Amino acid sequence: GAEADAWEQVAEILARRAAQEGVSPAEKSRLYRELGKIRAVIITQALSVPLLLVFGFSPWPWLGIMAFMIRPALMQTGGPLFDAFTMETVREETRGTASSLNQMVWTFGWIVSPLISGQLQLHYDWTPIIVAMAALYGAGIVLTQIFFGRKA
């Protein structure tokens, strides 16, 4: 029925998104060579913020779906480049600690975010979540430029 068709459409969108993420690793080395790691991180993350806002607020589902599919590829490109920059920047004897701390922060975000998001969704809607995410990404981009941009 109609519900099964809707779930098939959702599954297709998620499958295409996963395939899109798989394309991004091929672009990493090209971006790194042309821009440098930090500049590539800043650009890919800065491009992802408008896509997040389009995904969250587009009145046209097709446009929201396009943003939903493109944004993760940008984020999947920036993250490993920043990890590589971190490993190149820290002293060899502290690389294990730096890698562990980075992973802990990432994991903490994935643990805490659903709890906060769920509470916001119960009391409001997606608006404060999308706005907060965009603001936090924006702050992260600015701080990355301030602290690491000169090393790029």
Side-chain angles (χ1 to χ4, degrees), residues 4 13 16 22 37 39 50 69 76 82 86 89 92 97 106 115 121 138 144 150:
I13 291 167
R16 288 176 186 252
K37 286 183 183 79
R39 197 166 291 120
M69 292 176 65
Q76 292 294 331
F82 191 79
T86 301
T89 304
E92 187 172 345
T97 302
W106 178 258
L115 300 172
Q121 290 174 56
T144 300
R150 289 179 211 92

Side-chain angles (χ1 to χ4, degrees), residues 44-106:
T44 56
Q45 289 185 349
L47 289 172
S48 79
V49 172
L51 292 171
L52 174 65
L53 295 171
V54 167
F55 169 67
F57 299 115
S58 176
W60 304 288
W62 64 268
L63 187 59
I65 290 168
M66 292 294 292
F68 175 77
M69 292 176 65
I70 295 168
R71 185 176 175 277
L74 291 170
M75 297 309 290
Q76 292 294 331
T77 299
L81 290 173
F82 191 79
D83 291 344
F85 172 79
T86 301
M87 292 300 107
E88 291 174 358
T89 304
V90 299
R91 294 186 319 268
E92 187 172 345
E93 61 271 11
T94 61
R95 287 182 184 159
T97 302
S99 179
S100 295
L101 287 171
N102 190 30
Q103 191 61 43
M104 284 172 47
V105 170
W106 178 258

Side-chain angles (χ1 to χ4, degrees), residues 90-137:
V90 299
R91 294 186 319 268
E92 187 172 345
E93 61 271 11
T94 61
R95 287 182 184 159
T97 302
S99 179
S100 295
L101 287 171
N102 190 30
Q103 191 61 43
M104 284 172 47
V105 170
W106 178 258
T107 303
F108 180 76
W110 279 99
I111 292 169
V112 173
S113 295
L115 300 172
I116 296 169
S117 174
Q119 290 301 310
L120 288 171
Q121 290 174 56
L122 283 174
H123 299 288
Y124 305 102
D125 62 10
W126 282 97
T127 302
I129 297 166
I130 299 293
V131 170
M133 284 176 59
L136 290 170
Y137 274 117

Side-chain angles (χ1 to χ4, degrees), residues 38 85 140-151:
I38 291 299
F85 172 79
I141 293 163
V142 169
L143 290 172
T144 300
Q145 176 61 38
I146 290 170
F147 288 108
F148 305 113
R150 289 179 211 92
K151 296 179 184 180

Side-chain angles (χ1 to χ4, degrees), residues 18-42:
Q20 179 65 26
E21 286 182 42
V23 172
S24 68
E27 296 298 315
K28 288 176 193 160
S29 61
R30 187 174 65 87
L31 283 172
Y32 164 65
R33 282 192 313 272
E34 292 179 16
L35 303 172
K37 286 183 183 79
I38 291 299
R39 197 166 291 120
V41 167
I42 291 169

